[in-house]
Amino acid sequence: MRPTRHELFGQAGTPRVAVVGAGFGGIAAGVNLRRAGIETFTIYESSLGIGGTWWDNTYPGAEVDVGSHLYCFSFKSYDWTRTHARQPELQKYLEATVDDFGLRPHLRLGVAVEQATWDDDRHTWALQLDDGTTDECHVLISAVGFLNAPRYPDWPGLDDFAGAAFHTARWEHHHDLTGKTVAVVGTGSSATQVVPAIQPIVGQLLVFQREPGWILPKGERDLSDDERATLSRRWRSMRERWRLRYLVEKNLWSGHLFRPGTRLNSARHELCLRYIARQFADRPDLRAAVTPTYPYPGKRPVLASTFYPALKHANVELVPHAVASVTRTGIVDAEGIERPVDVIVMATGFEAANYLTRLRVVGRHGRSLQDHWAGEPRAYLGITVPDFPNFYMLYGPGTNAGELVITLESQAEYAVRAIRRMVRERVTAVEVKPSFEARWYRWLQSKMAGTSWTMSNNYFRSPSGKVVTQWPYGNAIYAVFSRLGGRVSETTRRRP
């Protein structure tokens, strides 16, 4: 006789779910769980507030790269004030979403999950929390993302620097930069927002560039009152969302944007070169320094309207060299030249390819996820891994492309469908078949060949040298795969 769901999962009759992370991914998971009638879940967040990336990254100028009406949940519209929302508004949006969908009672803020261990006899995950307590759940959803562990440089002498030195993702607001000589190290997305934001107040700004990135203007601006009134109508807001989605998808669905030699890639490459030529028509020295020598996009392409103009101000110097070392009072570049500085801002990115660096997950054979990967992160659809039952990752390996929030929603829906299957079929373990994960990874790696990601120095590579973070197409294709690829790839069990 088949056991009842109450016998399997307890009084509530639904699996106990632990969600790790309260950013866009964790909130998407929580909303989908509630919509499915599952109230037995807890969202653990190591920070003291929700937001994930948008809680951590409060540096001056922090702003999204995607249009506001697209960089939001499909189930939660909002009265955006800008074409591209800044960090405080994104934080406010996420707070409103949590309140509107009743997620507050499910949050445990300031509590990190340090380790999760699968018990194959009981079909549960044992959780070790950083406050010394423990918990358990039937299903574990990791929503920690992959841009959550700042990459700190190992420059000789950094620890002896007499001034302030901090990472953009851990901005120290108590330091007054007014009139100071500030060094920003890096020219990626964060740096291109920080530089224009602090340029007007600092005395001198040194921008250290190891290698230039491909940049195009974003076109960000405040929305007028009339525009906001128009977009407050639901159908107009949805039309704007679909318009923005089309603009993103049309360049991604074929995968040609990332392949040098294709018409689409060549057109984008030329567009970037023309933008550089226009901005630096009167500064050939800067034009040469900011022009990449690797194929487009190579690294993460940058959208920034104010970075190039900021470089031309009298109090800004672009140093087109990497940092070699740090002295007590300054920075020495790769050419051996030392420049005195008061403050060092490290815009040095994240340990992107080192997934789940802060959460140790141990599967059913007693092996950790890191041991299982052996330096090469991989997962079926970037979501689930063989030998790790009832475990799901949002924004996992091989899913970085297109518009993030759409992907997170697809992945949260995938996990919740599996949980609903557990209840419907009275099973206690759902696991991806190894053959599906292996075939998926082989196919995905075959699509990396010939892309510009394999031809440049970027954070997409694992220690093995393979590109493990990227998805080579758009969100629409990924959504189809994630919608259709779940049940057929799964094997189920019921605990004895």
Side-chain angles (χ1 to χ4, degrees), residues 279-466:
Q279 289 294 315
F280 298 107
D282 57 341
R283 291 291 303 274
D285 57 323
L286 285 176
R287 183 167 69 245
V290 302
T291 303
T293 57
Y294 55 86
Y296 179 90
K299 303 180 182 184
R300 178 184 175 182
V302 176
L303 295 176
S305 305
T306 56
F307 178 63
Y308 283 165
L311 293 180
K312 296 188 287 183
H313 282 276
N315 67 334
V316 179
E317 178 186 354
L318 177 67
V319 182
H321 306 294
V323 171
S325 62
V326 177
T327 67
R328 183 170 173 78
T329 58
I331 290 179
V332 180
D333 68 20
E335 298 291 299
I337 299 174
E338 180 177 355
R339 293 172 176 83
V341 299
D342 300 313
V343 179
I344 299 175
V345 176
M346 292 171 276
T348 48
F350 300 85
E351 297 180 29
N354 194 1
Y355 286 87
L356 272 71
T357 56
R358 299 177 179 178
L359 171 60
R360 187 168 188 264
V361 182
V362 180
R364 65 186 177 94
H365 293 306
R367 289 185 13 165
S368 73
L369 193 59
Q370 301 298 337
D371 288 341
H372 175 83
W373 281 337
E376 201 167 294
R378 59 199 180 278
Y380 178 61
L381 293 167
I383 301 173
T384 186
V385 181
D387 296 331
F388 292 80
N390 301 352
F391 172 63
Y392 303 94
M393 288 180 288
L394 311 188
Y395 211 2
T399 63
N400 181 44
E403 200 289 305
L404 168 61
V405 181
I406 295 174
T407 296
L408 291 174
E409 285 196 48
S410 294
Q411 294 168 338
E413 291 165 3
Y414 180 103
V416 172
R417 281 195 296 272
I419 297 169
R420 293 177 65 185
R421 183 182 183 186
M422 293 172 67
V423 176
R424 185 175 61 254
E425 299 182 7
R426 308 294 194 266
V427 294
T428 51
V430 178
E431 185 178 339
V432 66
K433 300 171 185 176
S435 59
F436 274 78
E437 189 263 1
R439 284 198 294 267
W440 173 263
Y441 187 59
R442 285 197 300 270
W443 174 83
L444 189 60
Q445 282 301 310
S446 73
K447 300 303 177 184
M448 296 300 117
T451 66
S452 59
W453 302 322
T454 65
M455 306 173 188
S456 58
N457 176 37
N458 53 51
Y459 60 65
F460 306 150
R461 297 173 185 267
S462 71
S464 69
K466 292 186 178 179

Side-chain angles (χ1 to χ4, degrees), residues 122-158:
R122 300 178 61 236
H123 286 192
T124 57
W125 287 97
L127 308 180
Q128 295 180 16
L129 311 178
D130 71 343
D131 63 0
T133 63
T134 61
D135 201 352
E136 70 173 23
C137 60
H138 299 99
V139 179
L140 177 65
I141 299 176
S142 168
V144 299
F146 89 126
L147 296 179
N148 64 335
R151 187 179 68 82
Y152 288 92
D154 56 357
W155 304 319
L158 179 59

